[in-house]
Amino acid sequence: MKQKWRILLSLLLSLCFFSGCSASFSDVVIARIDGEEIMQSEYMVYLYTTTKSFVEAAGEDVWNLDFDGMSAEELVQERAFSTIQSVIAAKKYAKENNISLTQEQITEAHQSAEEFKAKVSPEDWEKMNVTEKQLQALMEESYLYSVVYDTLAAECEVNPKEMENYYTENADSIREGYTQITIDTIMLDDLQTAEEVAARAQAGEDFDALFAAYDVDDAAKESEHGGEMTLYQNYLKIQFGITQPLEVGQITDAVQADTHYFVLKVKAITPPTEEEVRAQAEKDYQDMVQSAYAEERIASLIDMQEVEKIPEAWENMESFR
């Protein structure tokens, strides 16, 4: 499936979990979990990733919302710390059950740490006050968490009859969501130009010529496929906010995605086969049931933790708002 890297890049940060590291030159202990010291630098990495995921999911206006008497900032802080607890619980479980990373996973974790650092602004990196070596350790424990999570999930057996019921009830929505839409795109920097280009394309001007004249993505222009990409319909809705059914040949109005604007032309619509719908339904149901089981198991491990927060260490804590 052809997809522009700029669309997927914004989704990557919500996939990271982090834990434990040694103190840097100006680090302070902010808490202890089962006797393990949690450093401020470690917490700040968690807080950064949690903040980014929170804003990506709900938008900047989320900071003005109330969550059952808790401010958005308080909720982000709570989730960041609870993630630390989850990873420490997983680390303890891994030690007790002889679970460890392969060398390949360690290497991949270090590469992920480099990619993570490359996305962080100098200002935010300074706030974290974490070294590259510490970040590698955090990412290793992130990977270990995933291994433990998958190990726990695999313990849960799925009921075939309930899986069949799930397929029957959700086949239509899965078929719609996993229909593949092949589109040509023109990416632009501002709304006014995007609206002008959309109007000209809808009036019959050659789409490829407009792409060559106006698209601001040099990588797309150099590609043999230009601005073409193929996306599942559910992702198309999420990324571009398109909720109305599309038709082959249709040219959309200007739509915004991330910091750019796009004009889209539908080239092909390919629904999944019934075999693909069934396979996706079974996978979705298995993931749902096993994830719930794994999360419950990890929650039970967290319930047994002894947690001590250092009150003075939390005063005037910086944020990433």
Side-chain angles (χ1 to χ4, degrees), residues 199-228:
R200 291 170 61 179
Q202 290 167 350
E205 288 196 40
D206 184 75
F207 199 88
D208 290 337
L210 291 170
F211 169 82
Y214 289 98
D215 194 280
V216 298
D217 185 355
D218 292 334
K221 285 187 173 181
E222 294 174 1
S223 169
E224 64 174 306
H225 301 290
E228 179 183 309

Side-chain angles (χ1 to χ4, degrees), residues 185-206:
T185 70
I186 302 174
M187 187 175 83
L188 305 112
D189 285 329
D190 64 275
L191 178 59
Q192 181 177 348
T193 304
E195 289 176 339
E196 293 174 359
V197 170
R200 291 170 61 179
Q202 290 167 350
E205 288 196 40
D206 184 75

Side-chain angles (χ1 to χ4, degrees), residues 90-124:
K91 185 168 61 173
K92 181 179 180 181
Y93 182 90
K95 183 177 180 180
E96 293 173 348
N97 292 274
N98 298 316
I99 298 173
S100 60
L101 297 180
T102 65
Q103 186 57 52
E104 182 180 357
Q105 289 170 323
I106 292 173
T107 299
E108 187 177 340
H110 291 183
Q111 292 173 344
S112 295
E114 292 179 9
E115 294 170 3
F116 173 83
K117 183 175 185 284
K119 299 183 184 81
V120 179
S121 70
E123 295 78 15
D124 287 340

